[in-house]
Amino acid sequence: MKKELTIHYTQFSRLTDLGLEDQALLVEAREQQANAYAPYSKFKVGAAVRLENLQIIGGNNQENAAYPSGLCAERVALFASAARFPNVKIEALAIYANSKNGNTVLSPCGACRQVMQEYESIHGTSYKVLLMDQDEKITLFNSSSDLLPFAFKLG
Ligand code: THU
């Protein structure tokens, strides 16, 4: 039997098209980019998580001379959030990076998607994922699971 999966996402062309909370989260992700440590790839990424208790926790990619030891911005932010507030649900994750050409939607790597979806699973709620580039081109997914169908789950 053939089956089909459809995902929905929304694109905006400027920050002010979003609600104030999401605007603020994307601005935080953009500010977080400045502290990325990316001397090897020179590709800086910023991220920010908004929790249900309204805490905002930022992160950025952190590279290392032993390349695989580095970590993406999304996971730095998500792990920091979970380390500090393990039982607080996530409302939204914002990610900011510069795109090379205006047509490509910047979107998280596969390993980050796996981590993103597990926090939805353990909290039993989905959260928004907001992506933005330097031109304020924004892509919104209503669930991180939209970015990873058939995620690996134990049990
Ligand atoms: N990177 C992120 O921080 N997030 C992503 O979703 C993709 C890639 C980082 C990892 C590495 O430091 C640099 O960008 C180049 O891959």
Side-chain angles (χ1 to χ4, degrees), residues 120-148:
E120 282 197 345
S121 276
I122 60 174
H123 291 137
T125 47
S126 51
Y127 58 86
K128 287 191 244 188
V129 179
L130 291 146
L131 315 174
M132 183 169 78
D133 71 8
Q134 73 276 15
D135 299 325
E136 291 190 12
K137 186 176 174 191
I138 295 157
T139 306
L140 162 70
F141 297 87
N142 283 321
S143 166
S144 76
S145 299
D146 288 336
L147 288 163
L148 190 64

Side-chain angles (χ1 to χ4, degrees), residues 46-95:
V49 172
R50 184 177 70 242
L51 299 175
E52 216 175 46
N53 64 4
L54 300 185
Q55 283 274 343
I56 307 279
I57 294 160
N60 32 54
N61 52 326
Q62 297 295 322
E63 298 185 350
N64 191 274
Y67 292 0
S69 304
L71 201 60
C72 294
E74 297 88 323
R75 276 178 285 165
V76 170
L78 285 167
F79 290 156
S81 307
R84 289 182 59 196
F85 300 101
N87 302 314
V88 183
K89 287 179 181 169
I90 296 168
E91 276 189 359
L93 166 68
I95 305 162

